[in-house]
């Protein structure tokens, strides 16, 4: 007997195995009038609603003709931090550039001070609240970075919080060590000395945390491509897979560097060069695009998703949730921005937040798809078809969310209204 059957699914999204590159991102298999069965943590059967009537289950869930998808995957977040930075909004409104805010001791450095001062339990409870909100928007798997410590004690504290959250099991979380996220004021003019310290921490992070990835902020005023290359090379020697914040503001060549070092992902890419995009398309590196950051910073130029996909690259989408440059838990809003600002199609968008996003964080075996024998991470959406979600933006369309077969969030019946 099955534990649960979800039946009367109007549209069941069944992304292909990935990573999906270029034209393959336009393919999104769907099954209409569908049903699926869950036993324990796994999907054990998919078929039609009519066929589901012959199966026995402890519980039946009526999808009422709506959409069911894999749980969403958010492959770039800064989940664990102290403090907040609402006072910087006025500076942004006045036209102050982010790098100028950073020079004044704001930006990342402001959050570093608050995170260093916060104790681990406070950070844990705060991050757990954020993760719960993400789950309510349909996210069942995500990546979380350190990077607000810039010293051994605080970086370990952040990664310990991520490990504790992962062990709780509400969501699956991939951990990333982002030690070189900014340059502390005490190392101004001694950037290479600081980078050496972060490199020296690599064996400590490998031994004491579950971090599988490292990341570095390669940008004007932070770390050069030469410094990023040195960190990535050292990371790989210590058994980490590498990621990079690349070409967010200036075209420094971070995209090409990501390809050169076989990075699992290159993130941001707003200023990626035409040559960088071509190299990306010929590589296995995932382009993780963060339109919410461009939107929040009030910029007009977004990452060129259309050129990347046309070139044959694999593209994923993420929130970049953080306290300074993209303060949102809502991956659904990012899906809308991808449609409105980057001209991605609904099919490309769904693939970018499911199967491709899972590959961007090494979780493709457990997340991003619905397969028999696969993990039962599922979302029931209160929408009439899958194209509706990026069209109707700024609201939460999730009706129910399952993680490993367990219902972890459900909208109250009083909050559900029919869509005409």
């Amino acid at each position: 007997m099955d534990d649960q059957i979800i039946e009367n699914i109007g549209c069941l999204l069944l992304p292909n195995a990935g990573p999906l590159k270029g034209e393959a991102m336009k393919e999104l298999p769907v099954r209409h009038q569908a049903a699926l069965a869950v036993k324990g943590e796994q999907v054990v059967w998919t078929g039609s609603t009519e066929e589901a009537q012959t199966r026995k289950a402890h519980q039946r869930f009526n999808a009422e003709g709506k959409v069911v998808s894999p749980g969403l995957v958010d492959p770039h977040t800064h989940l664990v931090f102290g403090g907040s930075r609402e006072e910087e909004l006025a500076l942004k409104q006045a036209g102050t550039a982010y790098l100028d805010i950073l020079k004044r001791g704001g930006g990342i450095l402001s959050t570093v001070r608050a995170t260093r001062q916060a104790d681990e339990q406070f950070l844990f409870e705060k991050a757990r609240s954020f993760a719960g909100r993400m789950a309510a928007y349909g996210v069942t798997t995500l990546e979380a970075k350190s990077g607000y410590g810039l010293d051994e004690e605080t970086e370990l504290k952040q990664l310990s919080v991520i490990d504790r959250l992962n062990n709780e099991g509400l969501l699956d979380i991939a951990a990333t060590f982002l030690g070189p996220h900014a340059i502390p004021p005490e190392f101004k003019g001694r950037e290479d000395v600081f980078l050496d310290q972060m490199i020296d921490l690599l064996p400590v992070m490998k031994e004491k945390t579950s971090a599988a990835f490292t990341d570095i902020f390669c940008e004007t005023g932070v770390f050069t491509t030469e410094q990023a290359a040195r960190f990535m090379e050292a990371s790989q020697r210590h058994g980490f897979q590498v990621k990079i914040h690349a070409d967010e503001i200036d075209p420094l060549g971070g995209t090409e560097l990501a390809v050169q070092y076989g990075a699992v992902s290159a993130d941001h890419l707003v200023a990626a060069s035409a040559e960088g995009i071509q190299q990306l398309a010929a590589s296995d590196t995932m382009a993780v695009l963060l339109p919410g950051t461009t939107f929040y910073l009030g910029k007009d130029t977004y990452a060129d998703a259309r050129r990347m996909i046309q070139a044959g690259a694999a593209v994923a989408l993420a929130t970049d949730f953080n306290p300074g440059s993209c303060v949102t838990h809502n991956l659904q809003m990012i899906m809308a921005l991808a449609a409105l600002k980057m001209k991605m199609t609904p099919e490309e968008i769904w693939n970018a937040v499911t199967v491709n996003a899972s590959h961007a964080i090494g979780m493709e075996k457990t997340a991003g798809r619905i397969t028999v024998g696969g993990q039962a991470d599922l979302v029931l959406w209160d929408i009439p078809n899958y194209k509706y979600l990026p069209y109707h933006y700024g609201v939460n369309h999730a009706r129910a969310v399952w993680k490993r077969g367990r219902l972890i969030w459900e909208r109250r019946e009083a909050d559900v209204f029919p869509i005409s």
Side-chain angles (χ1 to χ4, degrees):
M1 179 179 288
D2 301 317
D3 293 342
Q4 301 175 73
I5 288 179
I6 305 173
E7 56 193 352
N8 195 22
I9 301 169
C11 180
L12 177 63
L13 305 189
L14 299 166
N16 290 322
L20 302 177
K21 302 183 68 174
E23 290 295 311
M25 289 191 65
K26 299 182 185 300
E27 300 171 6
L28 182 62
V30 300
R31 183 176 295 167
H32 298 285
Q33 297 306 310
L36 59 83
V38 174
K39 190 173 185 62
E41 298 183 354
Q42 294 183 325
V43 175
V44 294
W45 171 83
T46 62
S48 69
T49 292
E50 183 178 359
E51 292 169 329
Q53 305 314 305
T54 65
R55 299 183 69 95
K56 295 181 179 180
H58 290 293
Q59 184 178 19
R60 306 183 85 91
F61 202 101
N62 186 356
E64 300 176 0
K66 302 299 175 62
V67 175
V68 170
S69 80
L72 303 187
V73 180
D74 191 342
H76 183 130
T77 83
H78 301 259
L79 185 71
V80 184
F81 58 85
S84 62
R85 294 181 0 219
E86 60 273 15
E87 69 283 351
E88 291 179 13
L89 183 58
L91 294 175
K92 296 187 182 81
Q93 290 170 327
T96 306
Y98 174 73
L99 292 178
D100 289 332
I101 293 173
L102 191 63
K103 289 176 183 176
R104 298 181 187 185
I108 292 171
L109 298 179
S110 170
T111 302
V112 167
R113 289 192 295 272
T115 307
R116 286 177 174 179
Q117 293 167 5
D119 66 38
E120 182 176 316
Q121 186 61 27
F122 173 83
L123 292 175
F124 173 75
E125 292 173 0
K126 184 176 183 179
R128 181 167 56 181
S129 173
F130 291 154
R133 293 179 188 177
M134 290 179 173
Y137 282 106
V139 170
T140 56
T141 301
L142 61 97
E143 182 257 19
K145 304 177 190 293
S146 66
Y148 292 128
L150 312 184
D151 61 21
E152 179 175 353
E153 179 184 358
T154 316
E155 292 291 314
L156 283 172
K157 181 169 62 176
Q158 284 189 271
L159 289 166
S160 175
V161 167
I162 294 168
D163 287 348
R164 288 174 62 187
L165 288 170
N166 212 8
N167 290 336
E168 272 201 339
L170 174 65
L171 305 178
D172 286 329
I173 305 176
T176 297
F177 170 53
L178 178 57
H181 193 194
I183 299 164
E186 61 269 26
F187 285 93
K188 187 175 179 60
R190 299 187 301 133
E191 291 81 3
D192 282 320
V193 175
F194 172 69
L195 187 62
D196 285 339
Q197 289 194 5
M198 294 300 101
I199 290 173
D200 288 343
L201 287 181
L202 290 170
V204 178
M205 298 301 161
K206 177 59 72 172
E207 178 186 356
K208 295 186 177 181
T209 78
S210 69
F213 307 99
T214 67
D215 198 345
I216 184 168
F217 190 6
C218 179
E219 189 53 72
T220 300
V222 194
F223 295 99
T224 66
T225 52
E226 291 78 14
Q227 290 167 329
R230 189 153 64 89
F231 182 74
M232 294 166 79
E233 189 173 307
S235 296
Q236 290 175 331
R237 285 200 309 270
H238 285 91
F240 291 96
Q241 296 185 72
V242 294
K243 293 173 165 284
I244 181 172
H245 283 57
D247 299 329
E248 177 182 1
I249 300 170
D250 294 323
L252 301 185
T255 307
E256 292 90 330
L257 191 67
V259 173
Q260 178 183 343
Y261 281 90
V264 66
S265 74
D267 300 27
H268 286 291
L269 308 186
V270 176
S273 68
E275 174 60 26
I277 290 173
Q278 289 299 321
Q279 290 187 25
L280 190 69
S283 76
D284 294 326
T285 297
M286 183 70 63
V288 176
L289 307 185
L290 311 167
T293 306
T294 304
F295 172 79
Y296 188 78
L297 293 177
K299 297 188 175 183
D300 297 323
T301 302
Y302 287 73
D304 198 344
R306 284 265 51 86
R307 175 180 281 192
M308 293 178 193
I309 293 171
Q310 288 167 2
V315 170
L317 293 166
T319 59
D320 192 21
F321 168 62
N322 73 82
S325 60
C326 194
V327 196
T328 185
H329 310 106
N330 188 351
L331 191 54
Q332 297 173 46
M333 182 66 182
I334 303 306
M335 295 168 72
L337 289 174
L340 295 169
K341 298 297 186 179
M342 299 196 300
K343 311 306 178 187
M344 292 177 67
T345 68
E347 294 80 7
E348 291 166 347
I349 291 166
W350 280 103
N351 284 323
V353 296
T354 54
V355 58
N356 275 9
S358 72
H359 278 271
I361 57 174
M363 293 236 181
E364 64 274 9
K365 292 182 179 179
T366 56
R369 299 181 65 215
I370 298 174
T371 59
V372 173
Q375 193 163 286
D377 292 0
L378 309 164
V379 184
L380 169 62
W381 302 98
D382 195 21
I383 54 178
N385 58 73
Y386 70 84
K387 296 180 180 180
Y388 189 92
L389 192 150
Y391 151 77
H392 188 165
Y393 71 94
V395 297
N396 186 5
H397 293 291
R399 177 74 175 270
V401 181
W402 289 263
K403 179 64 184 177
R404 298 179 183 266
R406 180 170 65 92
L407 185 65
I408 61 171
W409 185 85
E410 185 176 8
R411 186 178 296 280
R412 295 178 303 169
E413 191 64 32
D415 295 334
V416 177
F417 301 93
I419 297 175
S420 58

